[in-house]
Amino acid sequence: MVKTMSDKKQLAVVLGSTGNMAFAVANVVIALKKHFKPDFDLIIYCDNAFSESDRNLISAIIPANFIEYKYFVGEKEKFDSTTINRFTTLAFSRYECFRLLDKYKKTVWLDIDLLIRNDISHLINIDDNDIALYYRLGVLKNEFLIPLEIEGCNLDVKSFNSGVIVFSDSIKNNHDLADWCYKKTVEYAPHLKCPDQAIINLLIQVFNLKTKQLDVNFNCHPAYPESKYAAVLHPYSLEKFWNFYNYKEWNENYKQWLKMGGSPYLGKKFNFLEKILIYIKETFFPEAPDPFRHPKKFVKWIISSQRG
C-alpha cells in the first residue's frame, strides 16, 4: 500500500554494487557520514557475493538495508559484448529509486565510483521538479552503439549523466516508470553503449519529467577545471580512484576501510606508461575512441585526424 505524504520518510540514499566492489561502497558511505547532513535511510542493492562481513562493516559506519538485487538475471546475453564488459546488472538497480518513492519523499542515487569531499546537503533541493541530474558534454545519441530513431525522442539533445540522480515523489505512476525502464532496457539492449544512462534520458523525454540540471559541483569529472573545487568528483570512465587517480581523501577513506577489516581492491592498476597514454588522449584527443577498449580504432582515429 502506498503511504500518504504524512506517513512517508523524508529521504533514502541508494547505491548498487557487486560484492567485489564493497571497498568502493564503503568509500562513499564513509564520505556520506562526513559530508551529508540530512537524516536519511541508506539502501544498498547488492548481489549474493557481497559478503556478510563487509555488509556488517558498512552498517557500522551508517546502518544500511542491504537488498539482494535479482532483476536482469539471465539478461546479459542480450547486450553487446563491448558494453557488457563495462557494467554489471547492479547498474539497473537505480530504476528501483522510482519504486522507493512509495516510502520516501525523495530518493538519491549515487554511483559507487564517486568521491564526496565537501558538504552535499543542497543536492536534494529540487523543489518543483521531478528529477535532477547533471548534463554531460555529449549528446544522447552517443549513448547508443549505432544511430537509432526512437519515436517521440530527440537524440541530438545533451545527455544527462546518471551517476548522481535525485528523484522526487512529485513523479506520478512511479511503478510504471520503473517497469518502463526495465522493458526498454531489454528492447534496446543490443544497441546500448551506456545502458542505464540512455534509458533514463529517454524516460525523461517520453514522460516529460520536470528536470532540474544539477550544478557541476555535484558531479564533476576529475579532468574538468572545476574539479579543483567540486564537492563530488565522478570519473565516469575506466580510470577510477582505485586504479588511476590519486586523491588524498579517497585514499584516507580506503585506509580506514582496510583498517576496519574490509575487503580490498584486487583489480588491475594503470602503470606509468598507460597513465601517460590516457593523459595524451584526454588532453589532445578527447573525442578519440578509448585506447584500451578499442586500440585499433584509437590508432586509426589519430592517423585520420592528422591527415585531416
Side-chain angles (χ1 to χ4, degrees), residues 130 202-211:
D130 298 322
L202 292 178
L203 175 132
I204 288 171
Q205 290 194 42
V206 170
F207 291 91
N208 195 29
L209 296 184
K210 293 178 65 176
T211 307

Side-chain angles (χ1 to χ4, degrees), residues 35-36 110 114-125 133-135 161 163-164 166 212-222 224-236 241:
H35 299 304
F36 195 47
L110 298 176
L114 305 175
L115 171 58
I116 302 170
R117 55 184 188 171
N118 286 307
D119 183 21
I120 59 169
S121 300
H122 294 298
L123 174 69
I124 60 175
N125 295 338
L133 312 89
Y134 169 69
Y135 266 137
N161 182 276
V164 178
V166 186
K212 177 180 178 179
Q213 180 181 345
L214 290 177
D215 189 273
V216 68
N217 181 60
F218 297 117
N219 194 343
C220 184
H221 194 283
Y224 289 3
E226 297 92 337
S227 65
K228 185 174 181 180
Y229 306 104
V232 181
L233 299 184
H234 181 203
Y236 36 85
F241 297 110

Side-chain angles (χ1 to χ4, degrees), residues 211-268:
T211 307
K212 177 180 178 179
Q213 180 181 345
L214 290 177
D215 189 273
V216 68
N217 181 60
F218 297 117
N219 194 343
C220 184
H221 194 283
Y224 289 3
E226 297 92 337
S227 65
K228 185 174 181 180
Y229 306 104
V232 181
L233 299 184
H234 181 203
Y236 36 85
S237 56
L238 289 178
E239 302 81 50
K240 307 296 185 184
F241 297 110
W242 51 86
N243 64 10
F244 182 82
Y245 293 104
N246 183 25
Y247 277 82
K248 180 181 178 182
E249 185 160 1
W250 194 94
N251 294 338
E252 289 176 347
N253 294 343
Y254 182 57
K255 288 178 181 177
Q256 178 181 334
W257 171 244
L258 294 180
K259 188 174 181 180
M260 292 172 65
S263 298
Y265 170 61
L266 298 175
K268 178 184 181 297

Side-chain angles (χ1 to χ4, degrees), residues 100-152:
L100 290 171
L101 294 173
D102 285 351
K103 299 179 181 179
Y104 298 94
K105 294 180 181 179
K106 292 176 183 174
T107 58
V108 177
W109 170 270
L110 298 176
D111 274 1
I112 61 171
D113 58 348
L114 305 175
L115 171 58
I116 302 170
R117 55 184 188 171
N118 286 307
D119 183 21
I120 59 169
S121 300
H122 294 298
L123 174 69
I124 60 175
N125 295 338
I126 65 161
D127 293 340
D128 301 320
N129 289 276
D130 298 322
I131 193 169
L133 312 89
Y134 169 69
Y135 266 137
R136 293 184 65 201
L137 295 177
V139 294
L140 179 52
K141 65 184 176 184
N142 293 337
E143 311 292 358
F144 296 86
L145 295 169
I146 61 174
L148 289 180
E149 290 188 8
I150 299 175
E151 185 177 355

Side-chain angles (χ1 to χ4, degrees), residues 7 18 22 52 63 70 76 78 85 111 122 125 156 171 178 182 186 265 294 308:
D7 292 333
T18 51
E52 192 68 26
K70 297 179 180 179
K76 278 193 171 186
K78 293 183 172 68
N85 290 329
D111 274 1
H122 294 298
N125 295 338
D156 289 314
I171 292 173
Y182 285 116
V186 173
Y265 170 61
H294 308 290

Side-chain angles (χ1 to χ4, degrees), residues 179-209:
D179 292 341
W180 186 93
C181 287
Y182 285 116
K183 178 182 177 181
K184 293 301 178 180
T185 301
V186 173
E187 180 178 341
Y188 296 126
H191 312 298
L192 295 172
K193 181 166 62 175
C194 300
D196 61 89
Q197 189 158 282
I199 297 302
I200 291 292
N201 275 274
L202 292 178
L203 175 132
I204 288 171
Q205 290 194 42
V206 170
F207 291 91
N208 195 29
L209 296 184

